[in-house]
Amino acid sequence: MKIKEVIAALERFAPLPLQEDFDNAGLQLGLTEAEVSGALLCLDVTEDIVREAKEKGCNLIVSHHPLLFHGLKQIVDADMVQRCVRMAITWDITIVSMHTNLDNAVGGVNWKIAEKLGLNSLMKDARQGEKYGMYVGELPQPMDAKTFISHVKEKMEATVAMTNGLLDCPVSRVAICGGAGSFMLSEAIAAGADAFITGEMHYHEYFGHDGEIQICVIGHYESEHFTREVLEEIINRECPGVRCVMAENQINPIKIL
């Protein structure tokens, strides 16, 4: 199977028009007519990831976060992005990224979070049009706020959770927006959610919601590291026979001491 066929399958699942205006999802660099020798799946493209692809015989890297987010005016060794580009071109490795289009696709990033948490009766916020960015679902049974936060940390493999004051009523209805999803907090409240899970929020956004909704911020990486499973499921289903490799050099750039 050719690389372009794998990319086409990914884009059928998460069409590029679903990406946000600021994004740069899709083909990042490389040629697509070659037969795919293996697909390395990762959250972020780093030098170690490109080396791992070469070492493991993968001529395709599929990432969640785009390598090329801003335009390049030169390609030397000035920063990590430029070095990754040079390495990938030298080793004939193609890079494709499924970012906010995968966030907004049915069965995408937030769907995977909901699956990990065991939520039922999933629905999107109806005001988002064709985009499914935020999901709302129901816990199998209500939990007190502290138990709910512990549940989220365990299932998402998160070391810490940043919250507002603990809600004094049971949590049942949960809204999810992985990554930097604080812009969806008001939508979560409007949707009647008891709790809102995301990866990042600004300091001042925590104010004014005690007793209204349980905020649970688990970290950008922690909210999206299972995205690789979504990519693997798509490729295994749509491109049988293509070897998928979960990147071992995928790291969280934020360290908690």
Side-chain angles (χ1 to χ4, degrees):
M1 182 171 288
K2 293 184 177 182
I3 290 175
K4 67 179 183 181
E5 295 176 89
V6 178
I7 295 175
L10 291 166
E11 292 183 2
R12 282 195 299 273
F13 183 89
L16 292 182
L18 289 181
Q19 70 180 307
E20 302 296 335
D21 293 340
F22 63 81
D23 204 4
N24 186 42
L27 180 63
Q28 303 286 289
L29 63 92
L31 304 178
T32 63
E33 287 291 339
E35 289 191 9
V36 60
S37 61
L40 186 73
L41 311 180
C42 62
L43 191 62
D44 302 284
V45 180
T46 64
E47 293 158 275
D48 285 341
I49 290 292
V50 181
R51 290 191 191 95
E52 183 177 349
K54 181 178 183 294
E55 291 167 0
K56 294 182 176 177
C58 296
N59 62 353
L60 175 62
I61 294 173
V62 183
S63 70
H64 181 46
H65 295 140
L67 174 65
L68 302 177
F69 208 87
H70 304 289
L72 296 178
K73 294 188 177 181
Q74 61 178 4
I75 302 177
V76 288
D77 284 338
D79 57 38
M80 185 193 75
V81 173
Q82 293 180 39
R83 291 190 292 272
C84 287
V85 169
R86 291 187 67 244
M87 292 165 65
I89 291 174
T90 299
W91 294 330
D92 289 325
I93 296 173
T94 298
I95 300 175
V96 62
S97 302
M98 297 285 108
H99 191 211
T100 55
N101 56 318
L102 190 60
D103 291 334
N104 290 328
V106 179
V109 176
N110 296 317
W111 185 282
K112 177 57 69 174
I113 297 173
E115 180 182 85
K116 293 290 181 181
L117 297 179
L119 300 186
N120 302 317
S121 305
L122 286 183
M123 55 175 273
K124 69 165 185 170
D125 177 17
R127 286 158 292 191
Q128 296 177 77
E130 294 301 314
K131 297 181 179 180
Y132 280 66
M134 185 182 79
Y135 272 105
V136 180
E138 302 285 338
L139 289 167
Q141 57 186 27
M143 300 178 181
D144 64 79
K146 189 173 183 180
T147 301
F148 167 73
I149 292 166
S150 296
H151 174 71
V152 174
K153 288 172 60 180
E154 177 190 355
K155 297 301 181 181
M156 298 303 296
E157 299 178 5
T159 305
V160 298
M162 292 175 284
T163 77
N164 58 340
L166 293 180
L167 203 65
D168 60 3
C169 59
V171 173
S172 180
R173 189 175 177 84
V174 180
I176 298 169
C177 188
S182 63
F183 66 99
M184 294 300 297
L185 176 59
S186 60
E187 299 292 329
I189 295 169
D194 303 312
F196 176 63
I197 300 171
T198 190
E200 293 182 33
M201 278 185 62
H202 294 295
Y203 172 82
H204 292 285
E205 293 173 315
Y206 288 83
F207 283 107
H209 302 295
D210 288 355
E212 180 180 37
I213 192 169
Q214 182 63 62
I215 295 170
C216 184
V217 180
I218 59 175
H220 199 123
Y221 175 89
E222 287 81 1
S223 72
E224 294 186 333
H225 65 112
F226 291 116
T227 301
R228 295 179 295 170
E229 295 181 11
V230 179
L231 297 171
E232 182 182 44
E233 290 164 6
I234 298 167
I235 296 174
N236 284 343
R237 182 177 62 249
E238 302 295 331
C239 308
V242 170
R243 179 171 63 98
C244 287
V245 179
M246 291 288 190
E248 295 181 4
N249 286 299
Q250 184 65 71
I251 60 169
N252 186 349
I254 300 174
K255 309 303 179 187
I256 299 173
L257 302 179

